[in-house]
Amino acid sequence: MPVSDQKLYLLDYGAGNVRSLLNAVEKLGHRIEYIKTVEDFAKADKIIFPGVGAFGYAMRALNNSGFAEPLKAYIASGRPLMGICVGMQVLFEGSDESPAEPGLGIFEGRVELFDKKLKSVPHMGWNAAQVVHQENVLATAVPEIGEDSRYYFVHSYAVPYTGTGAQRGIVHSATRYVDQAVVSSVWSRNVFATQFHPEKSGPAGLALLRSFIEHDLVRPQSSAGELRMPGDIESALTVRVIACLDVRANDQGDLVVTKGDQYNVRESADKGGDVRNLGKPVDLAKRYYDEGADEIAFLNITSFRNLPFRDTPMLEVLRQASRSIFVPLTIGGGVRDSVDPDGEHVWPAVQVAGEYFRSGADKVSIGSDAVYAAEGYWQRKAEGLVPLDGSTAIEQIAERYGRQAVVISVDPRRVYVSSPEDASGHHVIRTAFPGPNGEQYCWYQCTVKGGREGRDTDVRQLVTACEALGAGEILLNCMDKDGTNSGYDIELISDTKAAVSIPVIASSGAGRPEHFSEAVEKTAVEAVLAAGIFHRREVPIVAVKKHMQEQGISIRSAEDGV
């Protein structure tokens, strides 16, 4: 059948960002329709089944919509299916994430949780998918999956790779995360599925999507032969370089990218006192994608409280950006319970997040409300109550969309003290950078409202509470370092890394390529972020990656398909 005549459908059960997949398909010159009814399965020539979030939520949604059995019948008919992330996991018998919810049972095996004692969880970032077939036609049957390419992974649960038993007939590639090899793609007859996200994997991922859409990815009738053993799968996880864009309305009402010095985004009085304008959000984001940024973060620093939420400009920014940017997008600012100006429409935070996801975001960043949630968590513990009561935005978003979708943005500042006893019970470090009066100790005070208000909560209290509540990543800023170009706060990053088992992004203070490598080498941080030096082209992303590669740090380079 000519590609132009085939009917391509998307199976969306209502979780996470599918707009990026729609945009990727359109970018490749094809059209795709939603499966809306059971009858649509019979119309489909090919189906793409993306999934984000919790295994149990996905299976309940499939069963409640009446789609589970028609999906199994579609697979049995021999027509091609491509599953993505949770869309791959539900093809197995079940998951430790939701033990009471059986999977579709297309493949033998279960999905298991990574061991948090040995690594940061979720597995988040760019990694290789290594074909497990050795001397066989299958080894090169999908040339778009190659060991020189990197793909974007974000998951806490995975199918362990054994290379034996039933896996010999279905596993196509495996990936190592620290000490554990896991299945990264399966291929059985007409079913091809990936644990990684092709639609977020840049040119390499787009090439794989094109292969599924334009060719018949039916597994050749050939013996699987011998597979690589788990010990043969090498680790190839890269450190992420993230470009951050602070977005707000200027005095003329235009949406611009700006950057502050220690959170002040206005020019000096002798320059007019206007909001610094460093460019248009979508244009800058596209530039960073082209330059090789591994992720892009939009931080909305304007409230827009006078607008109905659906009219918030950031939603349109995401829609526009996701049309041409195929790496993960994070949106921060305004992810809280809100009410439209008419007072009639109430938006719970989980619905706010849902609108951002449907507009093209992959993750949401929570700032001030995370501090309030952490304070409530510790208060409930002190009162002998259950600390996790499901009332916070963190819990609700993580339950529906998965913990990998929730980023906690931390805005701390140093408070110097002469001795630990002077810190009122807060977690204290001995610093190599004494305070103004020679103080040898400090604690990091969390702030809210864009750094304008300090709270009686330290960073360690915040990040440990938020991890318990369900957050999947920490974006670690530092008010003292912001805009200084003097390097990251290594003491803060090291102390935070020691407190949590979820990934940490280093932010604030980078001024030259050496600062990025220093943060990675001294703290083992999973990602490094910068803003102003990228906006002003003082330090290009390419220069940062080149330097990191020269220092022996694994990065996604131009040769990886950027």
Side-chain angles (χ1 to χ4, degrees):
M1 176 187 298
V3 174
S4 59
D5 294 338
Q6 73 177 3
K7 295 179 179 178
L8 180 64
Y9 277 80
L10 182 146
L11 177 54
D12 175 26
Y13 58 86
N17 170 20
V18 298
R19 178 175 289 272
S20 292
L21 181 57
L22 293 172
N23 290 337
V25 172
E26 291 179 1
K27 175 78 172 179
L28 295 172
H30 301 284
R31 294 183 57 190
I32 189 167
E33 299 180 48
Y34 282 98
I35 287 182
K36 298 179 180 178
T37 67
V38 170
E39 289 72 26
D40 288 335
F41 284 91
K43 303 174 186 176
D45 296 311
K46 290 183 179 180
I47 292 177
I48 301 179
F49 177 25
V52 177
F55 182 100
Y57 180 85
M59 284 307 307
R60 287 192 297 273
L62 287 175
N63 287 317
N64 291 342
S65 63
F67 286 171
E69 292 304 317
L71 176 57
K72 288 195 282 189
Y74 171 88
I75 293 171
S77 75
R79 287 170 290 168
L81 173 81
M82 183 175 189
I84 297 173
C85 196
V86 175
M88 183 191 92
Q89 293 183 1
V90 298
L91 299 174
F92 287 85
E93 294 170 310
S95 172
D96 291 348
E97 183 177 18
S98 308
E101 296 285 347
L104 294 173
I106 304 300
F107 303 132
E108 291 183 28
R110 289 186 63 82
V111 184
E112 300 178 5
L113 177 67
F114 282 113
D115 185 353
K116 288 189 177 183
K117 295 179 181 178
L118 301 176
K119 59 184 73 72
S120 295
V121 179
H123 169 209
M124 187 180 296
W126 299 76
N127 209 332
Q130 300 175 50
V131 176
V132 298
H133 311 285
Q134 298 189 60
E135 302 296 331
N136 193 277
V137 65
L138 293 172
T140 57
V142 187
E144 290 77 13
I145 290 188
E147 295 180 16
D148 292 333
S149 295
R150 298 294 180 270
Y151 307 91
Y152 184 73
F153 291 79
V154 54
H155 58 120
S156 299
Y157 294 80
V159 178
Y161 175 64
T162 64
T164 60
Q167 290 194 357
R168 296 184 65 224
I170 65 169
V171 176
H172 185 65
S173 68
T175 295
R176 176 168 294 278
Y177 181 42
V178 187
D179 68 324
Q180 187 173 358
V182 299
V183 175
S184 52
S185 69
V186 294
W187 190 15
S188 176
R189 301 186 303 277
N190 54 308
V191 176
F192 185 81
T194 64
Q195 179 62 70
F196 56 86
H197 286 268
E199 78 282 12
K200 287 295 173 182
S201 296
L206 292 178
L208 183 57
L209 281 172
R210 183 188 295 278
S211 186
F212 173 78
I213 295 169
E214 299 182 1
H215 305 284
D216 290 329
L217 275 187
V218 177
R219 180 166 171 153
Q221 295 297 314
S222 172
S223 170
E226 293 300 318
L227 304 188
R228 296 185 184 186
M229 288 293 98
D232 299 329
I233 306 301
E234 299 178 356
S235 177
L237 183 67
T238 67
V239 174
R240 290 170 284 148
V241 177
I242 302 174
C244 181
L245 297 84
D246 292 339
V247 181
R248 66 159 289 167
N250 63 15
D251 296 334
Q252 291 73 45
D254 299 320
L255 211 60
V256 300
V257 175
T258 188
K259 187 68 186 78
D261 293 327
Q262 296 183 314
Y263 290 38
N264 178 14
V265 300
R266 291 190 175 274
E267 299 284 9
S268 59
D270 62 309
K271 294 183 179 180
D274 294 331
V275 172
R276 290 189 184 93
N277 182 351
L278 298 176
K280 296 180 178 180
V282 176
D283 292 344
L284 267 183
K286 180 60 167 61
R287 190 189 102 196
Y288 295 143
Y289 171 65
D290 292 339
E291 291 176 358
D294 298 314
E295 293 185 23
I296 294 169
F298 294 101
L299 299 185
N300 167 25
I301 57 175
T302 300
S303 67
F304 300 114
R305 287 195 176 94
N306 60 331
L307 293 175
F309 176 69
R310 286 192 187 276
D311 295 336
T312 300
M314 290 307 299
L315 293 174
E316 185 59 26
V317 167
L318 285 169
R319 295 185 192 110
Q320 294 289 340
S322 64
R323 290 193 178 115
S324 57
I325 296 171
F326 300 101
V327 296
L329 301 177
T330 298
I331 177 70
V335 184
R336 64 173 72 90
D337 295 345
S338 62
V339 181
D340 280 350
D342 60 13
E344 295 181 3
H345 197 132
V346 178
W347 289 87
V350 68
Q351 289 188 14
V352 171
E355 286 298 311
Y356 280 138
F357 293 140
R358 283 184 284 276
S359 298
D362 301 283
K363 297 183 276 190
V364 292
S365 173
I366 303 176
S368 297
D369 273 30
V371 178
Y372 305 141
E375 291 172 349
Y377 172 90
W378 292 114
Q379 181 64 35
R380 289 190 294 275
K381 288 200 75 169
E383 294 174 355
L385 302 175
V386 177
L388 305 178
D389 62 2
S391 64
T392 69
I394 298 171
E395 293 167 279
Q396 294 168 10
I397 297 170
E399 179 183 16
R400 179 160 186 174
Y401 298 105
R403 68 163 53 231
Q404 80 290 332
V406 183
V407 181
I408 303 303
S409 182
V410 188
D411 294 316
R413 60 189 176 204
R414 286 189 171 211
V415 177
Y416 286 99
V417 290
S418 298
S419 69
E421 290 73 23
D422 296 331
S424 302
H426 289 296
H427 175 73
V428 173
I429 67 166
R430 187 179 181 95
T431 177
F433 307 95
N437 298 311
E439 298 95 338
Q440 298 294 316
Y441 299 91
C442 73
W443 65 279
Y444 288 93
Q445 180 187 38
C446 294
T447 68
V448 297
K449 301 177 182 178
R452 295 188 299 275
E453 178 185 322
R455 304 291 290 188
D456 190 26
T457 300
D458 62 53
V459 167
R460 180 160 288 210
Q461 289 172 318
L462 173 64
V463 297
T464 54
C466 288
E467 180 178 17
L469 288 166
E473 191 170 32
I474 301 297
L475 170 53
L476 190 59
N477 305 295
C478 180
M479 293 185 65
D480 307 284
K481 284 286 192 174
D482 185 62
T484 65
N485 290 359
S486 61
Y488 297 102
D489 190 327
I490 300 300
E491 293 178 335
L492 170 62
I493 299 167
S494 298
D495 195 63
T496 303
K497 277 285 295 176
V500 296
S501 62
I502 56 179
V504 174
I505 303 169
S507 176
S508 302
R512 59 179 192 267
E514 291 80 5
H515 292 152
F516 294 84
S517 59
E518 178 189 38
V520 174
E521 291 167 347
K522 291 186 176 180
T523 73
V525 74
E526 286 81 8
V528 285
L529 176 150
I533 60 171
F534 291 161
H535 304 335
R536 296 184 290 265
R537 299 181 187 269
E538 295 168 355
V539 180
I541 292 173
V542 172
V544 171
K545 288 196 164 187
K546 181 175 184 293
H547 168 77
M548 292 173 69
Q549 193 170 40
E550 290 172 348
Q551 296 302 305
I553 298 170
S554 179
I555 54 97
R556 184 180 69 113
S557 67
E559 289 73 25
D560 293 328
V562 176

